[in-house]
Amino acid sequence: MRRLFFLLGVLQLLAAAAAVYKQWIPNTNFETASNWDKGRVPCARDTVHFEKDKYLPLNGEFVLAAGAGFTAFDGSWDPGCDSGGTVRFADAEQHSWFDPTLWRDVFPSGELKPSGCVFSVDEERVPCRYDDVIFPAETSFRVNTDSSQQVIHLRSISVMGQVLSTPESWAGYLQGPSAPLQFHGNGTLQVTGTGCPDRSGCACGNAPDGPRICAALLRASGKQCPVPVCQSPLQPLGHCCGVCGATINLDFTPDFDLQKYQDRLVQELLSQPKYAGVQMAVSKVHKAQTFLGIVSRSSTPLIQIVLIDDRVGAETGTAAEQLAADIMEDVAQHGKALGISGGKMEVATGSTLSGQRGSHTLSRITAGTVMGLLFGLMFLGGILFLYRKGKLRLPALRVPQTWDRLEDPVSPAPASDKGFDNPMFNVEPPSADPGEETPKDLQVFYLNPLYDASETET
């Protein structure tokens, strides 16, 4: 029975994975205790205070349920109210769209999705460009949309009980009286109504606001990342802090299907009992290209797999490491059929022996390319070595004379009465035949290119 229940849970997870729904958590409801500075809802003897120019009366509104209203009493009927006091409504301006702690994954109905073996890197905890956003019905809210991007794209937005999934319907809502009070900031939300068009997956699109996301996350967790147990923590793309475990970067072909591949990993590997404490994040990311340490403007799309586990101490990350090895073995055997052309694995665990980061490329295609290049270089090096030793004659191969000069330096010429060689003028003085004297009246003239006789004339 447990096995059946587990399989049903996995199938439910996979069925909901195709569409991603994220729900906004904070609200500005009167009955929410956290919205008040005293941590409680005002009682009958309290005086309610709203900050000047923030809510009432200039630019705010009360949204009341049917039959609801405000009434003033002397408080005698509320004995738990004590003596009463001033209760201030909290400042909702601080709630940022790019704060990962203010969003949660839900089903289309709005029901909270249980935490399982699949998680998201920090940038993907905020709504991505093809996600559906839900603001709970019968709640009021205010969200700051400040962004490094001028436009924040979404597939759909559900607000005030309405599902807005077309650009026209969303534009109409923005013209209403409530939208300016609910959304403020320099970023403009734009509904497209379309999902990811690429079966190999689509990047989240929140990379430009990555620093903003990490700042909000660290502000909520104490302004610093937790100290990892492993010696050399990994830094996945789109994640704010280093992790212990393993990462895999996969190169893919047009035949690759991201959703099917994630389902394969969950069903065939991650569901095994030995990996019960392992969590996995799978997504398409864009990695910046570098050359000699210089980051270029172009980027390479790849599939990133992040694996972490719940082990502690020296065992931290070891289960994730084993799962990563199994994934790479699967890539080596079935990568071509899955649309995977190559893969690279990096590992960081709590063990001192395996704590150093390592890279492995198990793809047959990638390994064949590397071995081919190495063999070619060794072959050319062998030919050059034999030629230099004189054991191989290649008439068509001409080695630069500079090498010969370095190996066989010319011995200095013996002193003679010819004087010195002028590098500026390559003329030898006339020589007489043996036994024949040089005429005394013979004059030899040399033209000096550095001397101009006209310059001496006055």
Side-chain angles (χ1 to χ4, degrees):
M1 189 65 179
R2 287 185 178 179
R3 181 65 175 174
L4 178 60
F5 176 78
F6 177 77
L7 289 176
L8 289 176
V10 171
L11 293 176
Q12 185 181 29
L13 173 66
L14 298 178
V20 179
Y21 292 83
K22 291 187 173 68
Q23 186 181 70
W24 178 253
I25 298 175
N27 59 58
T28 55
N29 294 351
F30 190 93
E31 297 84 1
T32 303
S34 60
N35 286 337
W36 302 94
D37 63 346
K38 296 187 182 300
R40 63 175 177 82
V41 178
C43 59
R45 293 181 181 178
D46 287 333
T47 300
V48 176
H49 180 84
F50 293 97
E51 292 294 332
K52 179 182 179 182
D53 296 337
K54 285 188 179 293
Y55 300 101
L56 295 176
L58 297 181
N59 61 343
E61 66 180 7
F62 283 118
V63 181
L64 304 178
F70 286 95
T71 305
F73 291 95
D74 59 6
S76 59
W77 62 275
D78 191 357
C81 197
D82 297 329
S83 60
T86 300
V87 183
R88 298 178 181 273
F89 195 79
D91 184 8
E93 304 292 312
Q94 59 184 335
H95 297 320
S96 170
W97 176 278
F98 290 101
D99 186 345
T101 65
L102 303 182
W103 296 95
R104 61 182 183 180
D105 292 333
V106 297
F107 292 110
S109 62
E111 181 184 357
L112 179 63
K113 183 181 295 185
S115 58
C117 56
V118 178
F119 74 100
S120 300
V121 294
D122 295 327
E123 286 184 6
E124 296 174 14
R125 293 170 58 187
V126 175
C128 299
R129 64 179 301 134
Y130 297 108
D131 288 350
D132 299 274
V133 171
I134 298 177
F135 292 94
E138 300 182 359
T139 62
S140 59
F141 63 91
R142 186 163 173 81
V143 54
N144 186 339
T145 61
D146 281 346
S147 172
S148 300
Q149 310 171 74
Q150 185 176 0
V151 179
I152 304 172
H153 293 95
L154 303 164
R155 189 171 85 158
S156 71
I157 297 179
S158 177
V159 58
M160 304 294 288
Q162 306 177 59
V163 179
L164 308 172
S165 58
T166 64
E168 294 77 17
S169 62
W170 175 245
Y173 183 82
L174 290 178
Q175 296 176 359
S178 297
L181 303 177
Q182 296 166 336
F183 305 99
H184 70 102
N186 61 18
T188 302
L189 301 179
Q190 179 63 55
V191 170
T192 62
T194 59
C196 175
D198 191 345
R199 68 174 183 173
S200 68
C202 294
C204 177
N206 285 334
D209 286 292
R212 193 184 303 270
I213 292 173
C214 291
L217 188 63
L218 296 179
R219 183 168 55 249
S221 62
K223 297 185 179 181
Q224 60 182 1
C225 291
V227 179
V229 177
C230 51
Q231 296 180 3
S232 302
L234 306 174
Q235 187 61 59
L237 293 176
H239 210 57
C240 297
C241 299
V243 299
C244 300
T247 60
I248 298 176
N249 290 337
L250 299 177
D251 299 318
F252 58 92
T253 69
D255 297 328
F256 180 76
D257 190 311
L258 179 62
Q259 188 59 52
K260 289 184 179 179
Y261 185 65
Q262 178 175 316
D263 296 348
R264 174 188 178 89
L265 296 180
V266 172
Q267 292 175 317
E268 299 189 8
L269 294 176
L270 198 55
S271 61
Q272 297 180 20
K274 63 180 179 179
Y275 297 132
V278 180
Q279 289 185 305
M280 175 183 69
V282 183
S283 58
K284 177 185 282 188
V285 296
H286 288 272
K287 185 175 182 179
Q289 293 182 345
T290 59
F291 179 73
L292 299 178
I294 302 176
V295 180
S296 65
R297 294 184 179 181
S298 60
S299 60
T300 302
L302 52 86
I303 304 303
Q304 176 179 260
I305 303 175
V306 183
L307 301 169
I308 59 176
D309 59 40
D310 58 358
R311 298 189 180 183
V312 297
E315 296 295 318
T316 301
T318 55
E321 178 183 17
Q322 181 59 49
L323 177 56
D326 289 349
I327 293 175
M328 293 301 291
E329 181 64 25
D330 183 65
V331 168
Q333 295 180 6
H334 308 288
K336 184 176 181 180
L338 296 172
I340 300 174
S341 58
K344 178 181 179 182
M345 179 179 74
E346 292 184 316
V347 174
T349 69
S351 171
T352 56
L353 295 178
S354 60
Q356 297 298 323
R357 188 176 302 182
S359 300
H360 307 279
T361 304
L362 300 181
S363 170
R364 296 175 180 175
I365 298 176
T366 305
T369 302
V370 174
M371 292 301 296
L373 291 175
L374 291 177
F375 180 81
L377 291 175
M378 293 175 62
F379 179 76
L380 293 177
I383 293 178
L384 183 59
F385 175 80
L386 294 175
Y387 175 81
R388 296 286 307 282
K389 292 298 183 180
K391 298 180 179 181
L392 180 65
R393 299 186 63 183
L394 298 175
L397 179 63
R398 177 177 178 82
V399 181
Q401 296 181 359
T402 304
W403 291 16
D404 296 332
R405 291 177 182 176
L406 292 176
E407 291 186 357
D408 303 317
V410 180
S411 59
S416 65
D417 58 355
K418 291 184 180 181
F420 64 91
D421 293 334
N422 188 341
M424 303 297 294
F425 187 67
N426 190 19
V427 177
E428 293 287 341
S431 60
D433 295 333
E436 186 177 310
E437 295 183 0
T438 303
K440 295 182 180 181
D441 58 348
L442 178 64
Q443 297 182 359
V444 179
F445 296 93
Y446 297 92
L447 298 179
N448 190 340
L450 299 179
Y451 176 77
D452 189 353
S454 63
E455 295 181 353
T456 61
E457 296 179 0
T458 59

